[in-house]
Amino acid sequence: MKNFKYLAASLLPVLILLALPLRPACVTRFGAEVRLAVRPVDPRDLFRGDYVALSFEAESVPLALFPAPDEKRSEYAVPDLSVWYVALAPDKEGLWAPSGVFAEVPEGPYLKGTAKYLTERADGSTAAEMDYGEGLKRFYVKENTARELEEAARQSRLRATVKVWRGMAVIQSLEAVPDTAGEP
């Protein structure tokens, strides 16, 4: 019995370390692939190398997409720190964007997140800035390629291919869309 306790005590940390990559692996294996528009942020990690810190258009969700008012409430649901499920749908360009926000799990691809704060958009509408977790914050790239991707993001030409499964997201790749401004 004494040996079993030592064995269990020594295996527990190993099992925990083996379980850490399980979540991203499940998302990569079983997730639906979506493409998201990217907003720029600065990169560099001394220990891990070059990466692109990302912010997505899908993180800014119009308040009108939150549950609508009813007899009991006169205003739209005010986003709080509770969990929200943001349904995704493709637009005419093939980019996926929020199509609705729900308190329950919706059909189709969705992101699970919390509202960080409310912000006013350039068009005068109000949007909730969402936090979808660590899977969408950084993407590590080959050395000396992060600056090129950042520049594409500043010009709104960067697209991310993301796998989404059960509200969790993992970035699969980044692509800089060719600049068509100078073409007729």
Side-chain angles (χ1 to χ4, degrees), residues 21-183:
L22 190 60
R23 179 179 166 184
C26 285
V27 173
T28 300
R29 175 74 174 116
F30 303 113
E33 190 171 283
V34 298
R35 287 176 46 114
L36 300 173
V38 179
R39 300 184 292 195
V41 186
D42 282 336
R44 186 75 183 145
D45 186 328
L46 183 61
F47 298 108
R48 296 183 189 169
D50 285 351
Y51 70 90
V52 180
L54 301 170
S55 176
F56 292 90
E57 295 291 332
E59 290 177 344
S60 181
V61 179
L63 197 58
L65 292 180
F66 281 80
D70 56 18
E71 307 84 46
K72 297 176 186 172
R73 292 188 322 232
S74 61
E75 299 179 8
Y76 285 96
V78 176
D80 55 14
L81 293 178
S82 61
V83 173
W84 292 100
Y85 300 94
V86 180
L88 299 173
D91 63 12
K92 60 186 174 219
E93 297 175 15
L95 296 175
W96 292 65
S99 61
V101 181
F102 305 93
E104 302 291 325
V105 176
E107 290 292 319
Y110 64 91
L111 294 170
K112 178 180 171 183
T114 57
K116 297 187 290 189
Y117 54 88
L118 297 178
T119 184
E120 190 168 327
R121 294 176 141 185
D123 64 2
S125 65
T126 304
E129 288 295 319
M130 301 293 290
D131 181 12
Y132 298 121
E134 293 299 318
L136 291 178
K137 294 197 190 254
R138 292 181 176 188
F139 184 72
Y140 289 89
V141 295
K142 292 179 184 174
E143 203 168 320
N144 300 324
T145 60
R147 294 281 178 219
E148 177 186 323
L149 292 172
E150 267 189 14
E151 189 57 37
R154 281 191 192 90
Q155 297 170 4
S156 298
R157 298 184 303 110
L158 190 62
R159 304 293 182 258
T161 301
V162 177
K163 289 273 191 154
V164 178
W165 182 65
R166 295 186 178 183
M168 301 174 285
V170 173
I171 301 169
Q172 299 297 302
S173 65
L174 293 177
E175 174 189 5
V177 177
D179 188 11
T180 58
E183 296 177 11

